[in-house]
């Protein structure tokens, strides 16, 4: 276990799987005490319906030499989030790092349907998960983050501000709005917490090899390159650990406030802090997606990892 974040307290909301899980593990590896919240706990499954649990995330934190605490929370329920804040305050008296990775809305996305054809209930559910849950979380937990100078708030999203400046063709209105909202959440949180010496950013991984993505492509982290035959642009994909390492480095940076209000990505963090992915490469996913995939060029990661 590292000591860069020794004595720090972190909370990863929605830390059940994917980027959020890896961030929780790497924060713990760096020495922070990490609270992990989510809805899939024990035998209870959230609407996502996947098997990963918050307890398993804590097990991974402990295997990395860190300390984790799993608490089942629905971040759309103000009473539950208020109770979470009271517990963290009672046990720690502060919160140094808040990572809001709450989502779980992918199952509601019907690709390529305009808003009038997309099921209304599903559209509104994505908005609730991507915006309402994040505001509820900030309302109750930011008072702990701003208690001491140097706090860090991260709004996880999908896409850089530049990429999301245009409509995400092939998705649908609610998904696009939910993900683009993170950029504005970070701007607002940065402004409202500035006098307390707090840093707030939005952050996106690149093409993430999450548990669900690996399952979709029928590969594992060990043989993920086999999926490139069917989806050539998967050549730029990255492991969840990549963004986790970046967040741990950012949290330990005494000058992180220079990024407040901005949207960062895993590739940018890797350059800033000299970080490699688990295979020793350094994927620059969103630059690739802007300059190669969106530009309609043939898949080729040369110069991008």
């Amino acid at each position: 276990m590292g000591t860069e974040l020794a004595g720090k307290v972190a909370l990863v909301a929605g830390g059940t799987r994917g980027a959020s899980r890896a961030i929780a593990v790497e924060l713990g590896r760096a020495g922070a005490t990490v609270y992990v919240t989510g809805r899939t706990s024990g035998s209870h499954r959230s609407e996502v319906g996947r098997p990963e649990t918050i307890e398993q995330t804590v097990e991974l934190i402990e295997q990395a030499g860190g300390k984790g605490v799993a608490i089942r929370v629905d971040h759309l329920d103000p009473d539950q989030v208020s109770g979470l804040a009271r517990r963290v305050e009672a046990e720690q008296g502060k919160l140094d790092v808040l990572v809001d990775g709450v989502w779980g809305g992918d199952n509601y996305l019907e690709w390529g349907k305009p808003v009038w054809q997309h099921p209304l209930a599903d559209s509104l559910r994505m908005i609730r998960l991507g915006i309402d849950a994040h505001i509820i979380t900030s309302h109750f937990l930011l008072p702990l983050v701003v208690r001491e100078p140097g706090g860090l708030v991260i709004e996880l999203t999908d896409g850089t501000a530049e990429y999301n400046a245009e409509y995400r063709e092939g998705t649908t209105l609610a998904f696009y709005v939910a993900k683009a909202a993170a950029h504005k959440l970070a701007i607002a949180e940065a402004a409202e917490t500035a006098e307390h010496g707090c840093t707030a950013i939005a952050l996106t991984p690149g093409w993430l090899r999450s548990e669900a993505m690996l399952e979709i492509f029928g590969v594992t982290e060990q043989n993920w390159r086999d999926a490139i035959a069917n989806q050539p642009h998967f050549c730029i994909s990255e492991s969840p650990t990549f963004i986790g390492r970046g967040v741990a480095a950012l949290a330990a940076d005494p000058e992180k406030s220079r990024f407040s209000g901005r949207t960062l990505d895993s590739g940018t963090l890797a350059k800033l802090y000299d970080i490699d992915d688990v295979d020793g490469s350094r994927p620059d996913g969103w630059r690739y997606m802007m300059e190669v995939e969106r530009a309609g060029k043939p898949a080729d990661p040369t110069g991008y990892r």
Side-chain angles (χ1 to χ4, degrees), residues 1 44 55 65 100 102 128 138 146 163 165 168 171 173 192 209 222 227 231 237 242 276 294:
M1 184 181 76
H44 183 271
E55 289 83 8
D100 195 338
V102 172
R128 288 274 286 153
S138 293
V146 301
Y163 194 86
R168 299 280 289 272
T171 61
L173 182 150
E192 293 185 350
R209 294 196 299 271
Q222 287 67 45
Q231 173 45 270
S237 67
F242 188 50
D276 291 333
R294 182 175 270 186

Side-chain angles (χ1 to χ4, degrees), residues 217-281:
F217 283 115
V219 293
T220 66
E221 180 58 32
Q222 287 67 45
N223 71 341
W224 67 268
R225 289 176 179 81
D226 292 349
I228 296 174
N230 294 322
Q231 173 45 270
H233 290 301
F234 199 57
C235 63
I236 198 60
S237 67
E238 63 194 48
S239 79
T241 299
F242 188 50
I243 193 169
R245 289 172 173 173
V247 169
L250 176 67
D253 184 351
E255 298 180 353
K256 56 185 173 287
S257 62
R258 67 191 187 277
F259 303 118
S260 200
R262 291 177 52 184
T263 297
L264 302 177
D265 64 280
S266 51
T268 297
L269 292 180
K271 292 176 185 176
L272 286 167
Y273 299 112
D274 196 24
I275 292 166
D276 291 333
D277 204 347
V278 293
D279 63 358
S281 71

Side-chain angles (χ1 to χ4, degrees), residues 119-187:
L120 179 59
D122 292 351
S123 292
L124 294 178
R125 185 63 177 173
M126 284 191 283
I127 294 297
R128 288 274 286 153
L129 290 164
I131 300 178
D132 293 16
H134 287 243
I135 293 174
I136 291 168
T137 300
S138 293
H139 175 81
F140 289 107
L141 290 170
L142 279 182
L144 290 176
V145 180
V146 301
R147 185 163 291 182
E148 297 181 3
L152 173 63
V153 180
I154 297 175
E155 297 283 355
L156 284 184
T157 190
D158 180 2
T160 61
E162 180 186 15
Y163 194 86
N164 287 336
E166 297 181 17
Y167 179 65
R168 299 280 289 272
E169 295 291 343
T171 61
T172 192
L173 182 150
F175 175 89
Y176 173 69
V177 170
K179 292 304 179 182
H183 311 311
K184 303 304 183 184
L185 287 171
I187 291 170

